[in-house]
Structure formats: C-alpha cells, structure tokens
Amino acid sequence: MDEKVHIIFLLLPLVSSYRYEGDEVNLTLAKTEAKLLHEKISKKAYSDDELIRILATRSKPQINATLNHYKDEFGKDINKDLKADPKDEFLALLRSTVKCLVRSERYFEKAARLAINKRGTDEGALTRVVATRAEIDLKIIADEYQRRSSVPLDKAVAKDTTGDYEKMLLAILGHDDV
Ligand SMILES: *[C@@H]1O[C@H](CO)[C@@H](O)[C@H](O)[C@H]1NC(C)=O
Ligand SMILES: *[C@@H]1O[C@H](CO)[C@@H](O)[C@H](O)[C@H]1NC(C)=O
C-alpha cells in the first residue's frame, strides 16, 4: 500500500468516535511522549509509526497534556514545528489533526465558516464538517458560528445549499421538519 494511504488509515481514528475517551491524564507518559514527538519531529520523521500512534490513539486530555508539556519543554507549539514545509500536505494534515484534537469546536466552526464563505459552498468540506458530528458537539459549533457571523448556522446552510443536499444537512443539524 502507498505510504500516504497507510498514514491516512492510521489517522482515521482521529475523526471517528472510537478514540478512547477517559479523563485521566498520566503526566509521566505525557512527558515521555512529548520528548518522543519532539525527537521524531526534529528528525523530520513525520510519518514515524510511534508519532502516528500517539496522535491517533491517545485520549484528548492525554494529548493535551503531552502538547502542553511539549511547549513548556521545547519552547514552541508543536504546530509551529510542524510548519517546517508549509507546502507538504502530510504536515498540513498533522497540523489539522492537532488543532482538531486540542480545540475541536473552534476548528470545526472555522472549517464550517470557510466552507460557507467560499463563492458557492464547497459541498465536500461542508459535509465533512457536519458529518463528523459524532465526535464533537454541533451545538457548540453552531453557537460559535452565530457568535462570529451573526447568522445562525442552519440559516447559512439553508441559504447556501439547495434540494436534497440542503435537506440532508439540515436534518443532520437537527431540523427534521424542513
Ligand atoms: C504512567 O505511564 C508510565 C509510562 O508509560 C507507566 O509506567 C505508569 O504505570 C503509568 N501510570 C499510571 C498510573 O497508569
Ligand atoms: C488543554 O490545556 C489547556 C492549557 O492547560 C487548557 O486551557 C485546555 O482547556 C485544555 N483542553 C482540553 C481539551 O483538555
């Protein structure tokens, strides 16, 4: 299998609802793994199995602790270090992954906003945002969207989409009666 395809399969648990969701954080583990992530990133070993395993399987609170420690210990946000080559698509995917894990509501709100604001809606992007709701609280995204855009998210979706596609998105957003 192509290496990139393999990597994408490894990253799939990120946006699925199968990630382990305990609240407890192991600080020893956070420190060890922050160090490991930093080593791999310094060596530009971005598709290293261990790096992927950490990002793909640790609970969100555990990743958050690891990334906080990473910043304290090494002086930079992991995402700054992952910007070494801004054109590299795999690095962009890793950065999105990190944002998605650490600030999921804000990340998805921004993705929804960008998808809607493009001339004509990017239907693929909008569907991805709405369809990953299993992982995140759509209400938080909708509130954040309204706060920033002064328009309710469902109104923006309704204005920007048509037909069955609109019906499907609105149904997912919780408006079965359209
Ligand atoms: C925390 O992680 C370390 C390193 O993996 C492990 O040795 C230790 O048993 C863990 N502690 C708890 C309470 O799970
Ligand atoms: C992650 O850590 C930051 C800084 O300690 C904290 O403000 C934030 O609420 C944490 N987020 C999660 C999802 O645990």
Side-chain angles (χ1 to χ4, degrees):
M1 206 192 290
D2 179 290
E3 196 199 18
K4 277 206 170 147
V5 175
H6 178 65
I7 288 161
I8 289 167
F9 274 104
L10 280 169
L11 287 171
L12 273 182
L14 284 172
V15 288
S16 80
S17 43
Y18 299 113
R19 179 181 292 272
Y20 171 68
E21 281 304 339
D23 282 334
E24 65 279 16
V25 169
N26 181 332
L27 282 179
T28 313
L29 188 66
K31 285 181 187 171
T32 313
E33 295 195 331
K35 189 152 174 272
L36 197 146
L37 289 176
H38 188 257
E39 270 168 30
K40 300 298 179 191
I41 291 171
S42 305
K43 286 194 239 159
K44 299 191 187 295
Y46 305 121
S47 55
D48 180 271
D49 280 351
E50 286 202 277
L51 182 148
I52 301 295
R53 181 186 53 77
I54 292 169
L55 292 181
T57 63
R58 294 299 182 210
S59 70
K60 285 185 189 171
Q62 183 67 41
I63 296 253
N64 203 40
T66 300
L67 299 185
N68 286 337
H69 185 75
Y70 185 105
K71 186 174 184 187
D72 292 347
E73 181 76 17
F74 306 109
K76 260 198 203 165
D77 270 333
I78 191 169
N79 266 4
K80 285 243 166 65
D81 287 338
L82 288 174
K83 258 200 186 130
D85 179 359
K87 290 209 188 83
D88 184 309
E89 281 182 10
F90 179 65
L91 282 188
L93 177 65
L94 285 180
R95 290 196 300 275
S96 297
T97 300
V98 166
K99 281 189 223 154
C100 167
L101 285 167
V102 176
R103 286 304 310 263
S104 35
E105 308 81 35
R106 189 181 289 179
Y107 174 77
F108 284 105
E109 181 276 330
K110 186 171 170 205
R113 190 152 37 87
L114 291 178
I116 287 173
N117 289 350
K118 270 194 189 165
R119 195 175 297 272
T121 303
D122 173 350
E123 302 206 339
L126 194 50
T127 306
R128 279 195 297 282
V129 171
V130 175
T132 46
R133 76 194 193 289
E135 177 70 4
I136 38 109
D137 188 347
L138 259 186
K139 174 138 184 12
I140 297 176
I141 296 174
D143 289 349
E144 178 81 3
Y145 184 86
Q146 175 151 16
R147 194 175 66 74
R148 299 181 65 122
S149 312
S150 313
V151 181
L153 181 58
D154 51 353
K155 289 244 160 55
V157 167
K159 179 166 164 283
D160 233 37
T161 55
T162 51
D164 288 343
Y165 180 68
E166 174 186 358
K167 280 193 196 133
M168 181 196 81
L169 287 181
L170 291 179
I172 294 172
L173 282 169
H175 294 248
D176 305 289
D177 50 332
V178 278

